[in-house]
């Protein structure tokens, strides 16, 4: 089992911030840290203020704002913990791998043994092909730009991507596919051939020359082929040299025959390991014989090749420059001395190959340590080292998730949070959420973090700036699909408030209807009614006339809708219906008390109509409403002081009395006749 | 088929894709299209060639991914986009500004030709902030109509500096899209499920007709009119429903067709083959609605790999006289519906069809071109 992630993380200081001059303060954000220098100088007894994240990325500080621009203490640094998120060309990597990630989460866990493994290997290959495609784009960008600084940046990215692919490919062979003795060597050979490209240009140059065998690098290319186990290509080249030297034809024939006969592991189950080992032993002895015979003594090139075939370490090491890396040396060594190497034996050969290759001249670099950890099957060490070295969370998050799906990480629990897979996915997705555009991708990653994904999503989604309604709708959809009611309400409220500030009452209302926010609907309805009282006409009729069932959301909204209906009936001269509705608004207490005076005033023209509209009973009810209003008003003093109000009340009383008189006469007449 | 689709990751979320219109009587398939991005710090209008013509294969199929010809920075999210003619594109911005960009084909550059700053705004046009997103634009050279979150309708002429006509507060809710019904009439859809007809000849600031969805007033996001039978109108809503309206009669849709699981962002009748209709959605799907197929003749369609095909219904009654779109009884329809994107996850924000070609763009920062739609 691996060590906790934190034990050897180096401390880093934000570039530009000077902890020796002033004390720093900081605030954690969801994916960024704000750091600023305080007014306090350095006092004794304080520890040097440094920033250390659980796994701090290589930090990038950027000055966000400088106030009046003069003293350094006004600087605020925004520290991002995943700087690669901001590289334009890598957005392709993030987007394409998002699809692969989702495919993997949805894939059939039930698939049995072999087909499940094939599926996982395919997923791994898909990830790698995205990395390679990105690498090509980046390379293209480096070639086509004229800005040397930019070119440098691109080239650095190409080498980082290339290292990522190299590590991933090795993990694929060792962990995902878990190649067994025999096929393991073939996979490692493929791996080396794919990634050691330093010699490719030399090979191309020699092969494309007029007469390759005369080329000064001819033997180098033959050696490259032999070292990489590309026997057919090596023999093809040698045959050209042979035809140019009829004198040594026999020597060539023997070497060619040896190379042809070399037993290699097969991918199918056509031979057992024991069979292979026997054949190989036999072949090895044959090579040994020819070497001791001195068959190749006259040609040092061929003699050295024969030594390589025999797995002679010194002979192979002599070709160090053609291999360029210790892991190439390792694979060549395995090919010619231990072709049936078992996975668990790899660590010994790897360690000694590295020692032999570096020979104490140079110390291993981070990449070497990562590959070594892989050869040692220390998966957690691989992930930990990558977390420290790489400037993104993308790699470790996706690789760990894949390994987790291979059921290789289950025993490992962190002392904080949930498991490592989830921890790394949360970090990666948080980085995406700190990006102004990539946040949408983060949602699906959080969805697949069973422990804390939901909480993270809730916290992050509320911080997405809602610049347009369209964007708000997209965020809202994410929340609604996940039954995040709290966030739905909050988003709708923000949008409703915005609309209200912009005097867009109609929009504001439709946002609060969407959130089923009764309180806010009441607030907006009051604004509508206030506007009506001030202006004497309704705004936004198209909306109020079409409230439909949403009218029931709040009492005030119901009143607004019904009150507008009264005006419509009145406008259409349907006085009887209008009168009945008006009265109901008061007697059923649909209308707020503050609005009763307005309603009673609205009754005035109905009372004054030529025709009698209100029945005697209705008139009594209107009178009671009026009296309730005047009597029940606690601020009686003020009410009476207001001349206009007093006049209104008097006018109403008069009109009601007259209407009562008329209706008694009318009803009496109708009944009497 | 899916194999004919070429894709390109473009490192920006795409909000609009539009084919450049073909010259009259052209027999060539479209070759150029424009895209607009959204939600970027730096949004762009880009012109692409659809694929490498030189790589045409044996059967005339095209290979190669779309190729960027030129692009230009755009202030704010691209909310909508429409070609005015073969060289000019009108772009609606989230800042409320409407811009005409010109594509110079001789040196492959884009430039801003004309700009109406804050054509859409809240409260006060002159304040520093206060722009309201322009959500929709439609062109009928030289006329340009725009609508916005401010509920405003603007009528511009490409050659005039000021708006020809503005209807303030035309709608109390957000206007989401606009299209021409006839040369002087437009259709708008809004966030409370209404479809409105406006006659721009009339000075009244009121719609001449209002249609609306029954029940819950589900917001409508897109609208298109049948190219030949102008009374047939299709709209798409927040619930992913496709509504077909006959604006000659009634105030409610003739049919409601269940389609997507989330917002339908765009709906387009095929301009020259209007038996076909295309819709795309926030749920990451793109549906092809085909009313031309005789179901009984092609029963094997169901077995095609990678497609989820559904038949709405079967029928043997002839349908040539009355448009299949207007059959009020969906069980009598012959309609074949195909999802063209089986495994998509993020929103398909925009699509455009012209001739045998389809182009669409997604929030997964990719554009897709299908050059053999009916193959």
């Amino acid at each position: 089992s691996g060590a906790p992630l934190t034990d050897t993380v180096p401390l880093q200081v934000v570039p530009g911030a000077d902890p020796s001059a002033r004390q720093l303060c900081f605030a954690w954000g969801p994916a960024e840290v704000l750091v600023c220098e305080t007014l306090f100088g350095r006092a004794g007894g304080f520890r040097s203020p440094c920033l250390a994240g659980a796994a701090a990325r290589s930090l990038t500080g950027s000055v966000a704002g400088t106030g009046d621009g003069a003293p350094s203490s006004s600087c605020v640094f925004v520290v991002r913990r995943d700087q690669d998120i901001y590289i334009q060309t890598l957005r392709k990597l993030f987007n394409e791998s998002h699809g692969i990630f989702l495919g993997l989460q949805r894939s059939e866990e039930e698939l049995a043994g072999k087909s499940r493994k094939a599926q996982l290997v395919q997923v791994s290959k898909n990830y790698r092909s995205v990395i390679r495609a990105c690498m090509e784009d980046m390379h293209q960008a480096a070639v086509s730009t004229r800005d040397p600084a930019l070119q440098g940046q691109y080239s650095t990215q190409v080498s980082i991507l290339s290292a990522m692919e190299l590590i991933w490919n090795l993990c694929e062979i060792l962990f995902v596919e878990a190649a067994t003795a025999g096929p393991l060597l073939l996979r490692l050979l493929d791996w080396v051939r794919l990634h050691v490209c330093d010699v490719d240009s030399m090979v191309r140059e020699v092969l494309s020359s007029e007469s390759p065998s005369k080329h000064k690098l001819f033997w180098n290319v033959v050696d490259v082929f032999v070292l990489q186990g590309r026997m057919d290509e090596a023999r093809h080249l040698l045959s050209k040299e042979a035809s140019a030297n009829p004198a040594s034809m026999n020597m060539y024939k023997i070497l060619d025959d040896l190379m042809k006969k070399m037993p290699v592991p097969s991918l199918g189950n056509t031979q057992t390991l024991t069979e292979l080992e026997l054949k190989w032993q036999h072949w090895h002895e044959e090579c040994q014989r020819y070497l001791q015979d001195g068959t190749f003594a006259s040609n040092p090139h061929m003699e050295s090749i024969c030594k390589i075939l025999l797995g002679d370490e010194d002979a192979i090491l002599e070709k160090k420059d053609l291999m360029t890396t210790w892991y190439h040396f390792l694979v060549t060594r395995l090919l010619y001395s231990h072709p049936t190497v078992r996975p668990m034996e790899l660590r010994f050969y790897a360690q000694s190959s590295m020692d032999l290759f570096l020979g104490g001249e140079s110390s291993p670099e981070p990449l070497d340590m990562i590959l070594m950890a892989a050869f040692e099957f220390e998966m957690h060490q691989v992930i930990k080292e990558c977390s420290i070295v790489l400037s993104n969370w993308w790699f470790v998050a996706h690789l760990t998730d894949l390994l987790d799906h291979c059921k290789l990480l289950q025993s490992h629990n962190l002392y904080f949070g949930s498991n490592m897979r989830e921890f790394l996915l949360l970090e990666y997705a948080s980085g995406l959420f700190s990006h102004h555009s990539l946040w949408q991708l983060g949602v699906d990653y959080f969805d697949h973090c069973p422990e804390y994904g939901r909480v993270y999503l809730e916290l992050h989604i509320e911080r997405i700036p809602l610049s347009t309604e369209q964007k708000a709708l997209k965020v809202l959809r994410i929340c609604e699909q996940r039954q995040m009611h709290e966030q739905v309400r909050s988003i709708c409220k923000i949008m409703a408030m915005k609309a209200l500030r912009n005097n867009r009452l109609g929009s504001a209302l439709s946002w609060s209807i969407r959130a089923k926010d009764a309180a806010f609907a009441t607030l907006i309805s009051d604004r509508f009614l206030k506007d009506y009282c001030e202006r004497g006409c309704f705004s936004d009729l198209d909306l109020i006339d079409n409230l439909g069932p949403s009218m029931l959301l709040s009492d005030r909204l119901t009143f607004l809708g019904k009150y507008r209906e009264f005006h419509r009936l009145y406008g259409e001269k349907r006085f009887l219906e209008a009168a009945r509705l008006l009265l109901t608004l008061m007697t059923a207490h649909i209308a707020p008390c503050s609005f009763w005076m307005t309603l009673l005033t609205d009754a005035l023209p109905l009372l004054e109509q030529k025709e009698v509209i209100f029945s005697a009973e209705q008139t009594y009810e209107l009178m009671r409403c009026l009296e309730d209003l005047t009597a029940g008003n606690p601020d009686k003093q003020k009410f009476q002081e207001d001349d206009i109000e007093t006049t209104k009340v008097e006018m109403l009383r008069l009109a009601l009395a007259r209407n009562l008189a008329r209706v008694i006469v009318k009803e009496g007449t109708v009944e009497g006749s | 088929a899916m194999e004919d689709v070429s894709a390109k990751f473009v490192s920006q979320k795409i909000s609009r894709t539009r084919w450049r219109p073909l010259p009259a009587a052209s027999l060539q398939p479209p070759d150029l299209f424009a895209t607009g991005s959204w939600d970027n710090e730096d949004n762009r209008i880009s012109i692409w060639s659809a694929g490498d013509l030189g790589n045409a294969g044996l059967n005339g199929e095209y290979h190669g991914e779309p190729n960027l010809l030129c692009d230009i920075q755009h202030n704010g999210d691209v909310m909508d986009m429409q070609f005015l003619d073969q060289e000019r594109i009108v772009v609606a911005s989230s800042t409320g500004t409407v811009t005409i960009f010109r594509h110079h084909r001789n040196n492959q550059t884009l430039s801003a030709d004309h700009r109406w700053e804050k054509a859409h705004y809240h409260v006060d046009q002159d304040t520093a902030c206060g722009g309201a997103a322009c959500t929709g634009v439609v062109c009928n050279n030289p006329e340009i109509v725009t609508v916005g979150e401010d509920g405003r309708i603007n009528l511009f002429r490409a050659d005039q500096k000021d708006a020809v006509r503005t209807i303030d507060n035309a709608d109390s809710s957000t206007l989401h899209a606009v299209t021409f019904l006839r040369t002087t009439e437009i259709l708008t859809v809004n966030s409370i499920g209404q479809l409105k007809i406006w006659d721009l000849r009339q000075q009244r600031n009121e719609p001449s007709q209002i249609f609306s969805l029954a029940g819950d007033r589900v917001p409508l996001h897109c609208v298109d009119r049948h190219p030949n039978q102008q009374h047939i109108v299709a709209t798409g809503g927040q619930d992913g429903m496709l509504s077909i309206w006959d604006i000659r009669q009634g105030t409610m849709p003739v049919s409601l067709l269940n389609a997507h699981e989330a917002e339908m962002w765009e709906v387009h009748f095929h301009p020259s083959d209007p038996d076909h209709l295309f819709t795309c959605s926030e749920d990451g799907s793109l549906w092809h609605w085909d009313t031309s197929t005789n179901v009984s003749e092609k029963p094997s369609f169901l077995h095609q790999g990678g497609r989820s095909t559904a038949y709405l219904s079967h029928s043997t009654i002839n349908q040539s006289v009355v448009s299949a779109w207007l059959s009020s009884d969906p069980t009598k329809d012959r309609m074949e519906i195909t999802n063209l994107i089986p495994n998509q996850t993020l929103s398909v924000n925009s699509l455009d069809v012209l001739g045998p070609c389809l182009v669409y763009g997604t929030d997964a920062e990719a554009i897709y071109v299908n050059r053999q739609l009916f193959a």
Side-chain angles (χ1 to χ4, degrees):
Chain A
S1 72
L5 279 169
T6 44
D7 58 359
T8 59
V9 174
L11 295 181
Q12 294 182 45
V13 176
V14 179
D18 185 6
S20 60
R22 292 179 188 280
Q23 292 182 31
L24 300 177
C25 66
F26 69 91
W28 293 102
E32 294 169 340
V33 187
L34 290 179
V35 178
C36 67
E37 295 171 353
T38 63
L39 289 171
F40 304 107
R42 293 273 295 123
F46 282 100
R47 286 195 310 139
S48 170
C50 285
L51 259 184
R57 304 262 122 265
S58 44
L59 298 169
T60 41
S62 64
V63 182
T66 51
D68 54 7
S72 65
S73 61
S74 60
C75 285
V76 175
F77 300 90
V78 179
V79 183
R80 288 167 170 171
R81 303 206 300 142
D82 192 337
Q83 80 191 94
D84 284 3
I85 288 279
Y86 296 88
I87 295 173
Q88 189 77 1
T89 327
L90 287 185
R91 283 171 72 159
K92 177 175 174 160
L93 176 71
F94 304 139
N95 276 290
E96 258 195 289
S97 58
H98 167 255
I100 301 171
F101 172 82
L102 280 187
L104 176 58
Q105 312 307 311
R106 291 170 189 159
S107 66
E108 279 295 325
E109 296 257 358
E110 287 79 40
L111 275 183
K114 261 192 179 159
S115 41
R116 174 67 178 164
K117 182 179 272 185
Q119 189 182 38
L120 291 166
V121 169
Q122 191 51 52
V123 169
S124 178
K125 284 185 173 153
N126 290 347
Y127 277 127
R128 283 200 293 121
S129 78
V130 177
I131 301 177
R132 293 196 80 88
C134 240
M135 213 157 81
E136 269 161 42
D137 284 0
M138 200 73 90
H139 178 71
Q140 213 53 50
V143 170
S144 57
T145 187
R146 283 184 201 142
D147 178 358
L150 214 54
Q151 203 165 32
Q153 262 177 42
Y154 288 140
S155 303
T156 313
Q157 280 302 320
V158 170
S159 50
I160 292 174
L161 284 167
S162 147
M164 277 167 32
E165 211 258 329
L166 174 79
I167 301 166
W168 191 299
N169 195 355
L170 185 60
C171 291
E172 179 183 308
I173 295 166
L174 298 178
F175 310 143
V176 182
E177 190 183 349
T180 52
L184 174 63
L185 180 73
L186 295 178
R187 291 277 178 262
L188 290 174
L189 273 172
D190 289 339
W191 176 65
V192 160
R193 287 171 196 157
L194 189 62
H195 291 97
V196 179
C197 349
D198 298 355
V199 289
D200 285 359
S201 56
M202 180 177 76
V203 171
R204 260 196 309 276
E205 189 193 322
V206 170
L207 290 184
S208 60
S209 69
E210 234 170 74
S211 145
S213 59
K214 298 274 188 306
H215 199 284
K216 64 178 190 301
L217 293 174
F218 172 80
W219 285 105
N220 278 355
V221 173
V222 177
D223 287 343
V224 164
F225 287 148
V226 173
L227 290 168
Q228 294 187 10
R230 292 153 74 172
M231 287 309 181
D232 291 341
E233 288 159 275
R235 287 173 55 212
H236 180 73
L237 261 192
L238 275 177
S239 71
K240 293 191 175 180
E241 171 73 4
S243 50
N245 290 303
S248 36
M249 186 64 97
N250 192 38
M251 194 161 65
Y252 281 111
K253 261 205 177 129
I254 293 168
L255 186 61
D256 183 72
D257 197 43
L258 284 177
M259 289 165 78
K260 194 171 108 188
K261 280 199 294 196
M262 178 179 160
V264 282
S266 71
L267 278 178
N269 288 326
T270 48
Q271 61 179 356
T272 63
L273 275 185
T274 333
E275 276 172 359
L276 174 69
E277 270 162 0
L278 269 174
K279 274 191 201 166
W280 195 81
Q281 201 56 45
H282 189 75
W283 173 79
H284 198 258
E285 281 160 12
E286 196 179 347
C287 294
Q288 194 79 45
R289 259 200 318 278
Y290 282 117
L291 187 68
Q292 279 160 2
D293 282 0
T295 309
F296 305 115
S298 63
N299 187 326
H301 294 298
M302 289 208 255
E303 187 169 40
S304 126
I305 289 175
C306 187
K307 280 183 182 168
I308 293 174
L309 295 185
L310 277 165
D312 182 320
E313 265 165 26
D314 295 328
I316 298 175
L317 262 182
E318 249 175 58
K319 312 289 175 192
K320 201 170 165 178
D321 292 344
L322 295 178
M323 292 183 289
T324 66
T325 61
W326 63 269
Y327 43 91
H328 188 338
F329 171 56
L330 163 69
V331 175
T332 305
R333 212 176 137 204
L334 291 173
L335 173 67
Y336 294 113
S337 31
H338 311 279
T340 56
V341 63
R342 285 158 194 45
M344 285 309 149
E345 296 162 353
L346 272 178
R347 60 171 68 215
F348 308 112
Y349 297 116
Q351 190 61 55
S352 64
S353 297
M354 188 166 87
D355 293 345
L356 278 170
F357 194 85
L358 298 181
E361 288 163 32
S362 54
S363 52
E365 288 181 16
L367 177 62
D368 300 322
M369 299 313 291
I370 293 168
L371 295 175
M372 185 57 74
F375 283 122
E376 288 169 346
F377 281 80
E378 293 286 355
M379 250 168 278
H380 296 101
Q381 190 64 24
V382 173
I383 292 162
K384 180 179 143 188
E385 297 277 345
C386 290
S387 299
I388 295 169
V389 173
L390 294 172
S391 53
N392 63 66
W393 287 109
W394 179 89
F395 181 82
V396 280
H398 288 84
L399 181 62
T400 309
D401 174 60
L402 178 63
L403 296 179
D404 192 70
H405 276 86
C406 298
K407 306 209 182 298
L408 292 171
L409 295 172
Q410 262 126 7
S411 61
H412 191 74
N413 278 308
L414 299 175
Y415 59 89
F416 51 89
S418 54
N419 60 19
M420 182 154 67
R421 168 187 174 274
E422 177 157 334
F423 171 79
L424 294 171
L425 286 177
L426 290 172
E427 283 300 311
Y428 173 62
S430 297
L432 290 174
F433 257 94
S434 74
H435 190 276
H436 52 85
S437 188
L438 292 170
W439 58 272
Q440 269 171 303
L441 298 178
V443 177
D444 289 311
Y445 287 93
F446 284 144
D447 278 352
H448 290 98
C449 295
E451 196 92 19
Y452 293 104
R454 170 83 177 205
V455 186
Y456 268 63
L457 181 59
E458 285 172 359
L459 289 173
H460 278 289
I461 202 97
E462 285 191 331
R463 289 166 172 78
I464 298 293
L466 305 172
S467 44
T468 63
E469 289 195 9
Q470 173 126 350
K471 187 167 177 186
L473 288 173
K474 282 179 181 268
V475 178
L476 207 52
R477 175 62 63 183
I478 290 167
C479 296
E480 283 179 347
Q481 275 167 350
R482 290 158 183 81
Q483 277 94 44
M484 294 162 58
H485 305 297
E486 190 71 23
Q487 284 69 29
V488 168
R489 270 173 50 89
S490 137
I491 291 163
C492 287
K493 192 153 225 157
I494 291 167
M495 295 312 287
M497 279 304 292
K498 266 191 186 173
L500 203 59
R501 265 205 308 276
N502 291 327
N503 262 334
R504 301 281 303 150
L505 294 188
S507 286
L509 191 57
S510 41
W511 281 109
S512 42
I513 289 172
R514 175 140 187 197
K516 302 197 169 47
D517 187 341
F520 210 78
T522 301
L523 187 94
I524 297 163
S525 309
D526 281 340
R527 273 280 295 267
F528 270 117
L529 293 169
K530 192 171 141 252
D531 278 8
Y532 170 74
C533 290
E534 281 166 8
R535 288 193 278 166
C537 65
F538 281 105
S539 58
D540 304 311
L541 278 182
D542 55 341
L543 174 76
I544 302 171
D545 283 345
N546 283 285
L547 284 173
S550 56
M551 193 194 286
L552 301 173
L553 178 60
S554 99
D555 291 348
R556 200 60 48 83
L557 194 57
T558 315
F559 169 64
L560 176 67
K562 289 286 171 194
Y563 184 51
R564 162 61 193 157
E565 195 178 322
F566 159 75
H567 279 268
R568 214 184 54 234
L569 292 170
Y570 184 87
E572 291 166 6
K573 301 209 185 304
R574 292 153 72 181
F575 296 133
L576 284 174
E577 289 161 80
R580 203 180 311 129
L581 179 58
L582 190 69
L583 195 59
T584 319
L585 287 179
M586 285 182 283
T587 54
H589 291 277
I590 297 169
C593 281
S594 60
F595 216 77
W596 281 27
M597 201 55 193
T598 315
L599 294 181
L600 286 165
T601 320
D602 283 332
L604 263 179
L606 285 169
L607 293 165
E608 313 268 286
Q609 289 290 325
K610 227 179 203 173
E611 206 134 322
V612 183
I613 311 268
F614 288 101
S615 69
E617 202 179 329
Q618 285 176 321
T619 316
Y620 286 129
E621 285 192 82
L622 277 177
M623 289 169 131
R624 195 171 60 240
C625 290
L626 181 61
E627 292 318 306
D628 281 357
L629 189 62
T630 47
N633 198 318
D635 205 358
K636 212 167 181 177
Q637 203 66 28
K638 191 186 164 219
F639 200 82
Q640 276 168 354
E641 271 169 23
D642 195 332
D643 275 351
I644 303 169
E645 287 300 304
T646 321
T647 322
K648 242 188 217 170
V649 173
E650 290 307 316
M651 276 172 64
L652 270 169
R653 284 191 178 131
L654 186 65
L656 286 166
R658 277 173 45 177
N659 190 67
L660 192 58
R662 283 163 69 198
V663 78
I664 289 171
V665 172
K666 185 193 160 201
E667 285 175 4
T669 317
V670 172
E671 276 160 31
S673 63
Chain B
M2 290 308 293
E3 310 84 62
D4 303 319
V5 178
S6 57
K8 188 177 179 74
F9 281 86
V10 293
S11 293
Q12 49 189 342
K13 293 196 280 197
I14 296 298
S15 56
R16 280 295 180 263
T17 55
R18 295 285 179 257
W19 288 112
R20 183 182 67 180
L22 294 166
S26 166
L27 293 174
Q28 296 295 314
D31 55 344
L32 240 66
F33 64 90
T35 61
S37 75
W38 80 285
D39 207 27
N40 251 337
E41 270 172 346
D42 171 29
N43 287 299
R44 308 194 84 80
I45 307 291
S46 314
I47 305 281
W48 307 80
S49 73
D52 195 352
L53 286 163
N55 279 347
L58 283 177
N59 307 321
E61 77 269 31
Y62 291 90
H63 297 290
E65 51 185 31
N67 188 21
L68 180 67
L69 295 178
C70 53
D71 63 354
I72 191 169
Q73 203 254 333
H74 177 261
N75 210 357
D77 293 348
V78 173
M79 301 294 289
D80 199 7
M81 193 162 76
Q82 205 79 47
F83 272 92
L84 183 66
D85 51 30
Q86 285 201 278
E87 266 112 46
R88 290 177 295 173
I89 321 159
V90 187
V91 180
S93 165
S94 60
T95 61
T97 298
V98 177
T99 315
I100 303 181
F101 288 98
R102 184 181 288 275
H103 174 218
H104 307 273
R105 259 182 294 178
N106 43 0
N107 59 357
Q108 290 302 352
T109 54
L110 274 165
S111 65
D113 228 23
H114 186 73
R115 185 167 281 151
W116 290 282
E117 296 283 353
K118 273 188 227 156
H120 293 270
Y121 60 94
H122 289 304
V123 192
D124 186 0
Q125 200 167 12
D126 298 322
T127 50
C129 50
C134 175
T135 53
V137 59
V138 66
C139 306
N140 187 13
N141 196 6
E143 285 179 327
I144 299 163
V145 179
T146 67
V147 296
E149 279 184 13
D150 55 357
R152 192 171 270 114
I153 299 176
N154 284 311
L155 172 63
F156 299 107
R157 281 181 66 96
D159 47 7
Q160 284 181 24
K161 200 166 156 281
D162 295 312
V164 178
R165 170 128 191 244
T166 294
I167 307 177
D168 288 327
N169 220 13
D171 203 305
S172 61
S173 52
T174 296
L175 287 170
H176 280 145
V178 59
T179 193
F180 273 105
L181 177 62
R182 297 179 195 91
T183 44
T184 59
E185 282 176 290
I186 57 164
L187 291 163
T188 61
V189 288
N190 68 13
S191 63
I192 52 168
Q194 293 173 327
L195 170 70
K196 297 181 182 177
I197 302 180
W198 304 79
D199 189 339
L200 295 173
R201 285 168 305 186
Q202 293 191 5
Q203 282 313 304
R204 239 160 40 97
N205 286 344
E206 301 280 327
S208 51
Q209 249 179 304
I210 300 181
F211 303 85
S212 94
L213 294 171
D216 289 335
R217 269 57 171 171
V218 179
L220 295 174
H221 286 293
C222 50
V223 57
D224 196 23
R225 165 184 61 74
H226 194 288
N228 309 329
Q229 295 166 290
Q230 297 185 332
H231 56 278
I232 303 174
V233 172
T235 63
Q238 184 158 285
D239 52 358
M241 194 86 84
L242 172 68
S243 310
I244 306 289
W245 313 69
D246 182 350
I247 57 165
R248 297 170 307 185
Q249 52 192 6
T251 58
M252 298 210 294
V254 178
S255 51
L256 291 169
L257 302 166
N258 242 322
H260 302 282
E261 283 159 13
E263 287 84 355
M264 184 190 290
W265 293 128
E266 285 209 76
V267 55
H268 289 287
F269 284 102
H270 191 284
S272 53
D273 201 353
D275 285 342
H276 299 267
L277 181 125
F278 298 84
T279 61
C280 63
S281 158
E282 179 71 20
D283 70 2
S285 59
L286 193 158
W287 291 90
H288 174 185
W289 307 70
D290 181 359
T291 56
S292 69
T293 329
N294 189 331
V295 171
S296 54
E297 281 174 11
K298 292 176 78 180
S300 63
F301 225 77
L302 271 172
H303 303 295
Q304 288 207 350
R307 290 193 185 184
S308 46
T309 303
Y311 298 108
L312 216 67
S313 56
H314 300 258
S315 166
T316 49
I317 306 164
N318 80 46
Q319 44 138 12
S320 53
V321 185
V322 179
S323 169
W325 296 114
L326 283 188
S327 165
S328 56
D329 180 2
T331 58
K332 279 189 178 174
D333 274 342
R334 289 176 192 157
M335 197 181 298
E336 185 189 317
I337 311 163
T338 312
N339 181 7
L340 299 182
I341 316 173
N343 288 321
Q344 183 77 27
T345 52
L346 291 182
S347 174
V348 184
N349 294 324
S350 181
L351 73 92
D352 197 20
V353 274
L354 188 58
C357 301
L358 165 74
V359 60
Y360 59 95
T362 71
D363 274 345
E365 307 192 339
I367 46 179
Y368 298 83
V369 176
N370 182 343
R371 307 199 56 140
Q372 287 180 307
L373 206 41
F374 302 115

